[in-house]
Amino acid sequence: MSESLIDRAIEILRLNDRGTYTVPTSGLYPFQWNWDSALSALGFSYFDEARAWTEIDTLLAHQWDDGMVPHIIFHEEDDGYFPGPDVWQTGRPVPTSGVTQPPVAGFAAKRIFDRAKDRDLAEARARALLPRIHAWHEWFFRCRDPEGSGLVAIIHPWESGRDNSIDWDQPFAAVPTEGVQPFQRRDTQHADPSHRPTDEQYKRYIWLVQKFRSLGWNNDKLHDASPFRVVDPGFNAILIRSCADLAELADALDEPEIAATSRARVEAGIPALDALWSDEFGQFLCFDRVQGALIQSASIGGLLAAFAPISQDRAAALAARIDDISSRTNYLVPSHDPAAPEFDSLRYWRGPVWLIVNTMIANGLERAGQGDIADRIRTDSVRLIRQSGFAEYYDPITAEPCGGEHFTWTAAMVIEILNLHGEKA
Ligand code: GLC
């Protein structure tokens, strides 16, 4: 059974392969997405190492001069997606969006390097990627942490990768909707509108894009100019983990400066992350940098903090929290606690399960000695696939497949989970 699931997953990666990059799924997402690509490379690494490296290479080839790595690269024209290059107007030779996404590339590169069979290839490709990934990390601390707090802010919900999370409802109220140029959404033509963000949210997404565009995408200005500045524990955990992994990769490649700078980021980041812990919620919370307050919202962002090298005590508390959530759902890990009134089991990041987040949480908890709950998360992930196929995301109560079909990173995570934990999953 596991064998054939892996075969089907490989077929999906091949189906969405455009030669040097993959699309998340054709139709709904016809370009290259940042964290989709880095995580999908993990799937490729099991059957084509060169292709796995190329996936990350292509992403980093579109890094901006300031170090930012954009969230979408518009390799080909396709008017089936909104907002396209005409809205972003970032002035890049190959058009890109102007915001970023969770920096998982450092984690992915280290993992592909560690298990590579072709050592010469791995060393050459990792050596070329190392300074570019490092420049991206340093861009974050320079442009998104101007006061040197140790944690970075996102300035657009799309940067979090959790586009319409309940976490953003309150800070999003500070983003106006006046002056938004009329537009036509395309996502609702490819997917069920009741599974997608609302029109009201879309207006605010576009208001922010117009604002940043009016500032010429100058990252020295965007952070302070944005009415939306949120410190997301999940996003920061990914950055801190990638810095930790990059430090080890730099050691292996004998690049001591990159190793030392990256380690210092981890040392400053972990205590800063700990300040986002809430005893009341039993998990980490987002911090609204504009209001100067924690956001009282029990989303999966606060559980994804387990991906960073947090203390054993915190990891144990997160494991207990996930166990508690499991009493209210059939499949771990819902993107929001079902006990919250805003929970919506079908609407994108307001309740559904996403396999990429499951894989990262399980990975972090396992490293912290919480193997039992990590096994449960992975087992639930594979049960979902067996029952409902390779969807974009799933209803955590009924397992209904939602969003796009034949999804690349879902397939990649299945390959990853079954190869590493096949007998248990
Ligand atoms: C959606 C998701 C985002 C993902 C993209 C492509 O926008 O919220 O995380 O990167 O789709 O799959």
Side-chain angles (χ1 to χ4, degrees):
M1 186 64 185
S2 298
E3 212 48 50
S4 72
L5 267 192
I6 291 183
D7 289 347
R8 279 166 54 203
I10 292 174
E11 268 170 42
I12 290 177
L13 261 55
R14 293 216 161 106
L15 177 75
N16 293 331
D17 185 356
R18 298 291 178 269
T20 54
Y21 67 95
T22 48
V23 296
T25 186
S26 55
L28 185 60
Y29 302 115
F31 313 108
Q32 183 178 23
W33 262 258
N34 185 324
W35 71 324
D36 295 64
S37 260
L39 292 168
S40 301
L42 293 173
F44 276 107
S45 72
Y46 285 100
F47 60 95
D48 188 341
E49 289 180 9
R51 182 63 189 77
W53 288 114
T54 298
E55 187 74 24
I56 306 182
D57 256 347
T58 306
L59 175 66
L60 271 295
H62 297 275
Q63 183 167 34
W64 287 15
D65 292 344
D66 65 2
M68 199 272 280
V69 181
H71 100 292
I72 306 174
I73 298 146
F74 299 102
H75 290 282
E76 285 180 8
E77 278 183 33
D78 191 318
D79 62 10
Y81 178 84
F82 174 85
D86 53 321
V87 179
W88 292 97
Q89 296 175 21
T90 54
R92 299 282 309 169
V94 173
T96 72
S97 71
V99 297
T100 191
Q101 255 191 337
V104 283
F107 159 74
K110 156 86 165 46
R111 214 163 168 75
I112 297 170
F113 179 83
D114 283 351
R115 64 190 180 206
K117 297 205 172 64
D118 188 338
R119 296 309 308 168
D120 290 345
L121 178 76
E123 176 147 354
R125 304 294 288 262
R127 197 174 287 290
L129 284 172
L130 188 77
R132 289 144 74 193
I133 297 175
H134 183 57
W136 185 21
H137 293 174
E138 289 303 298
W139 170 85
F140 270 116
F141 293 109
R142 198 172 63 249
C143 297
R144 296 305 181 74
D145 183 21
E147 293 184 6
S149 73
L151 299 180
V152 302
I154 53 164
I155 60 171
H156 194 297
W158 286 341
E159 294 198 309
S160 70
R162 297 184 287 111
D163 303 10
N164 67 338
S165 168
I166 292 162
D167 291 347
W168 324 135
D169 289 0
Q170 189 198 312
F172 225 25
V175 179
T177 52
E178 297 83 48
V180 173
Q181 286 151 9
F183 59 83
Q184 198 191 357
R185 291 174 63 173
R186 299 298 171 126
D187 57 316
T188 43
Q189 293 164 352
H190 300 286
D192 184 338
S194 70
H195 297 181
R196 301 282 310 173
T198 62
D199 284 346
E200 200 55 27
Q201 284 162 334
Y202 253 81
K203 279 190 201 148
R204 292 191 159 92
Y205 297 147
I206 299 306
W207 189 93
L208 286 171
V209 171
Q210 287 181 197
K211 172 78 180 171
F212 303 152
R213 188 177 75 195
S214 76
L215 294 170
W217 298 107
N218 178 349
N219 273 303
D220 292 336
K221 296 185 182 156
L222 300 192
H223 175 276
D224 289 358
S226 177
F228 179 91
R229 298 194 295 279
V230 177
V231 180
D232 169 13
F235 190 99
N236 278 278
I238 289 173
L239 177 58
I240 294 169
R241 172 66 183 273
S242 280
C243 285
D245 286 351
L246 207 72
E248 287 186 21
L249 191 58
D251 283 341
L253 297 171
D254 202 16
E255 292 285 352
E257 271 177 41
I258 293 182
T261 314
S262 302
R263 277 209 176 90
R265 297 298 186 192
V266 180
E267 273 153 31
I270 291 294
L273 185 63
D274 206 56
L276 305 184
W277 178 263
S278 162
D279 277 333
E280 189 194 332
F281 282 80
Q283 64 166 84
F284 294 86
L285 297 178
C286 288
F287 178 77
D288 183 341
R289 217 174 240 179
V290 175
Q291 295 292 326
L294 288 174
I295 300 170
Q296 311 292 305
S297 167
S299 88
I300 202 166
L303 310 177
L304 181 53
F307 195 48
I310 54 173
S311 72
Q312 302 261 319
D313 285 356
R314 290 290 189 237
L318 285 178
R321 167 88 178 122
I322 294 171
D323 181 49
D324 170 49
I325 290 174
S326 76
S327 66
R328 297 185 278 287
T329 183
N330 292 321
Y331 299 88
L332 288 172
V333 182
S335 46
H336 207 86
D337 187 340
E342 304 93 333
F343 171 81
D344 183 337
S345 67
L346 290 170
R347 208 182 271 278
Y348 220 33
W349 289 97
R350 300 174 79 85
V353 175
W354 293 71
L355 250 65
I356 30 126
V357 185
N358 273 10
T359 309
M360 288 188 277
I361 294 177
N363 171 287
L365 287 175
E366 171 132 345
R367 277 163 48 110
Q370 299 296 330
D372 287 351
I373 194 85
D375 280 346
R376 282 171 61 194
I377 294 171
R378 287 187 293 246
T379 303
D380 281 5
S381 305
V382 176
R383 279 171 59 220
L384 278 171
I385 306 299
R386 292 214 160 102
Q387 177 144 347
S388 304
F390 295 82
E392 186 177 4
Y393 48 97
Y394 305 84
D395 183 314
I397 316 284
T398 66
E400 179 180 339
C402 305
E405 296 179 316
H406 312 302
F407 227 81
T408 303
W409 66 5
T410 305
M413 294 304 98
V414 171
I415 299 173
E416 177 83 2
I417 292 171
L418 290 179
N419 272 305
L420 291 177
H421 308 276
E423 67 294 346
K424 287 190 212 150

